[in-house]
Amino acid sequence: MTETIKEFVQPDEKIIEIEIERLRPFKNHPFQVKDDKEMYLLKESIEKYGILNPLIVRPVPDGVYEIISGHRRKHAAELLVYRKVPVIIRVMSEDESILSMVDSNLQREKISFSEKAFAYKMKNDVLKKQSKETKGQVDHKKPKKRIVEIISEDCGESVKQVQRYISITRLIPEFLQRLDDELISFNPAVEISALKEEEQKLLEAMDYAQAVPSLSQAQRIKKLSKEQKLTLEKMQDIMSEVKKGEITRVTFTNE
């Protein structure tokens, strides 16, 4: 399995080899590097064919380089005890590097809910910042696009879905992990993300009832929170309800 990310060499760029020890991970990189089946296949591919797509890096102080794209390739190369890897060096500002890192990594085949969520949030934060900085230079004759609309067009998601993803970054880590592990569905998680951090003790209620919230249950919990009436007992009562799919049905024939 080779990486599906394709890097394009610009006219004034060259592919060179750099020592792995001079490479640094991207600050607050939202995409996880795991020793899973995909990593095993990537390592196998690199061992057989080499690194076909060079890493994209940018120079930072102290003579080292920050990885924009290629964290998984770098890790696979380390497992194979490579000393050097092919890279393309690009000089970028902090904001440019964040946007490039997010856009290139979103091309990956498999991305977890949390990875996509934090990637969208990083892009959203940078575009908001840039929008404030260029406020006086905007052509008011042209209709102004909202930030989420720009992200929506760039990433091929609906505006509503982009907003949902950004909202789940407010989930506490334990709950976010349950979402990534597919122990809870995406839409209920979006509703739960509206709760205050301390209210997300819903995890305790889930353990108490040995259940995960359905969409309607999550919506009712969110409503109680909005009305400032949410307690752990009420969450446990809601979570202890028998869901439709759990009811045993008996069918009687005319006979």
Side-chain angles (χ1 to χ4, degrees), residues 148-233:
V148 287
E149 289 177 327
I150 296 170
I151 298 173
S152 168
E153 290 174 6
D154 288 349
C155 303
E157 299 260 23
S158 70
V159 169
K160 193 71 178 172
Q161 192 70 344
V162 170
Q163 291 171 325
R164 288 191 186 106
Y165 268 106
I166 293 174
S167 73
I168 66 170
T169 61
R170 298 193 296 266
L171 288 170
I172 59 175
E174 296 88 347
F175 215 112
L176 203 52
Q177 188 59 55
R178 290 184 182 228
L179 176 61
D180 281 346
D181 292 340
E182 298 183 0
L183 297 175
I184 181 172
S185 299
F186 180 73
N187 288 332
V190 171
E191 299 296 325
I192 297 304
S193 70
L195 303 182
K196 296 173 188 173
E197 189 173 329
E198 60 270 19
E199 288 177 333
Q200 290 188 34
K201 289 179 181 177
L202 171 67
L203 283 167
E204 295 175 28
M206 287 168 61
D207 291 336
Y208 170 87
Q210 293 295 302
V212 292
S214 65
L215 179 58
S216 64
Q217 287 174 324
Q219 287 170 336
R220 284 157 58 202
I221 290 169
K222 177 183 172 183
K223 185 173 182 289
L224 285 170
S225 172
K226 215 171 181 181
E227 295 169 351
Q228 298 186 342
K229 296 177 182 177
L230 185 61
T231 64
L232 182 58
E233 289 72 26

Side-chain angles (χ1 to χ4, degrees), residues 17-31:
E17 288 201 334
I18 282 185
E19 294 83 0
I20 287 180
E21 64 215 36
R22 294 179 67 193
L23 301 178
R24 300 290 180 270
F26 196 90
K27 186 181 177 183
N28 298 324
H29 190 248
F31 299 93

Side-chain angles (χ1 to χ4, degrees), residues 60-85:
V60 289
D62 301 324
V64 295
Y65 297 86
E66 185 176 53
I67 302 172
I68 305 298
S69 171
H71 291 78
R72 293 179 72 252
R73 279 165 278 170
K74 181 231 179 193
H75 182 65
E78 285 176 317
L79 295 175
L80 291 166
V81 202
Y82 275 35
R83 289 184 58 253
K84 295 182 178 182
V85 290

